[in-house]
Each structure stands twice: as structure tokens, then as C-alpha cells.
Amino acid sequence: MRTDELIAALAADAPPVSPGGLRGRLAAASLVAAAAVAALVLIWLGMRPDIHIAMRQAAFWIKAGYALALAACGFSLTLRMGRPGARPGPALALAPAVFAALAGLAAAELLLMPESLRAHAVMGASWRVCPLLIMLISAPVFAAAIWALRGMAPTRLRLAGASAGLLAGGVGASVYGLHCQEMSPAFVTVWYSLGVVSCAVIGALLGPRLLRW
């Protein structure tokens, strides 16, 4: 019996895997890790002292929405790449589209403000630590996403790892936003994005090793 015939024979009696089960596995792992990360950040870094004032401003929700949108893109792509032979399809274009939307808003913000304020809008006061903290905060979520993927059947391991990194980075950035006092869309576009992209790159590098069958 040839190898492909043996695989077909073994798979013939296997019950189908529910897409809802895979989605639930990934969602549960991500939510548990996100809750743990939120508790860690509140204990370690603390919530920004003016959170009650910041939540009344549109910029706060733009920042949160951006991070959560990236996390949603990562979730969708991770779920897709957990299936054997799956192609990323349109899901791969969602994150760049989200980034482009915020980048357009940031460009408009910079054009409308005095030139003397533009450098501070981009650099803020925490640009040195922002990407690094997002990466550190994202680590537990990345581990949870990898655990969920190992229960699936990914075949494009580098892309699956990058997807898990994108999911983790988006969740980490959204949680970090509870501590970070930077509000400028220009700052978020540059430094939050750098932190999230770094997570995706690390995921792509580690994916083949962590997800190998």
C-alpha cells in the first residue's frame, strides 16, 4: 500500500473536526492568557492614573481599537492557518489595511498641528520602551496561541507562527494601552505597530520549530 493510500485509509474513519471547536480552543487559550497578562500589567506597571479622563477622549479608543483590530486580524489568520493546506486568502490583507487606516489618521494629525509639535507627537516620552514592553507583555498570549495551534494541523508553519505573533502582539498592545499615557495616533502608528510587527516576526522565526509535527 502506498503512503497516500495509507493516509486515506486512516483518515476515512476519523470524525470531522468542528471548526467551532478549533475556534473555541484558540479563543479560550487567548482569553485566559489575556486575562493573566492584564493582571500582570496592572500589578507590574499599573494602570495610568488618569484612565477615567482618558476614556472620555476619542484618541484613547482609537488606540484601543487599533490594537484590538490587529488582534482580531491575528485571530482570524491563526484560525485559518491552523487548517492543513489552508491559504491565508483575504485575511492576510486585513492587518495592513488596519495599519493604513491609522497611518492616514496620523498623517492628518501631523499636518494639522504646528511643526514644532510634530516630533513630540511621533516620539512621545516612552518610545524607547514601548515596543519592548509590548513584546514582553505579549509572550504569554503567544505561548497560548502556539499551544492552540499545536492542537490543530498547520502545514505552513512560518506563516502560522507569524499569525500567532500578530494575535499576541495585538492583545499585548491593547493591554499595554491601559498603562501607556501616549495618545497621539502618530505615536501609536509607529511604536505600537513596531511592537506588534516584532511579535509577528518572532513568531515567523519560531513557528517552524514550535509547530513542527
Side-chain angles (χ1 to χ4, degrees):
M1 180 180 291
R2 294 183 302 178
T3 302
D4 55 349
E5 294 175 341
L6 176 60
I7 294 174
L10 292 173
D13 297 328
V17 178
S18 168
L22 299 179
R23 186 179 297 108
R25 176 186 176 92
L26 180 59
S30 301
L31 287 173
V32 170
V37 165
L40 174 64
V41 168
L42 293 180
I43 295 172
W44 173 34
L45 299 174
M47 185 176 293
R48 58 182 296 175
D50 63 340
I51 187 71
H52 60 290
I53 298 175
M55 291 179 67
R56 300 174 190 169
Q57 302 180 42
F60 176 88
W61 295 107
I62 290 173
K63 178 172 68 172
Y66 176 64
L68 289 173
L70 291 180
C73 293
F75 182 90
S76 175
L77 194 55
T78 301
L79 185 63
R80 188 175 182 89
M81 298 315 301
R83 299 186 178 94
R87 296 181 178 275
L92 191 60
L94 291 178
V98 171
F99 172 81
L102 184 65
L105 185 62
E109 175 197 39
L110 293 175
L111 287 173
L112 292 174
M113 70 172 49
E115 186 175 353
S116 60
L117 300 179
R118 291 174 185 171
H120 181 72
V122 174
M123 306 304 289
S126 60
W127 66 272
R128 290 182 179 85
V129 299
C130 176
L132 178 60
L133 287 175
I134 288 175
M135 292 168 60
L136 291 175
I137 291 168
S138 301
V141 184
F142 178 71
I146 291 295
W147 173 83
L149 276 170
R150 288 180 63 87
M152 302 180 193
T155 53
R156 304 183 67 176
L157 304 187
R158 197 170 298 281
L159 187 52
S163 304
L166 177 61
L167 166 60
V171 173
S174 64
V175 174
Y176 176 68
L178 298 175
H179 163 77
C180 175
Q181 298 188 46
E182 309 287 358
M183 300 276 275
S184 168
F187 181 93
V188 176
T189 298
V190 176
W191 304 110
Y192 273 59
S193 299
L194 180 59
V196 175
V197 169
S198 298
C199 293
V201 171
I202 292 172
L205 294 174
L206 295 179
R209 176 172 297 184
L210 298 177
L211 297 172
R212 186 182 297 126
W213 291 18

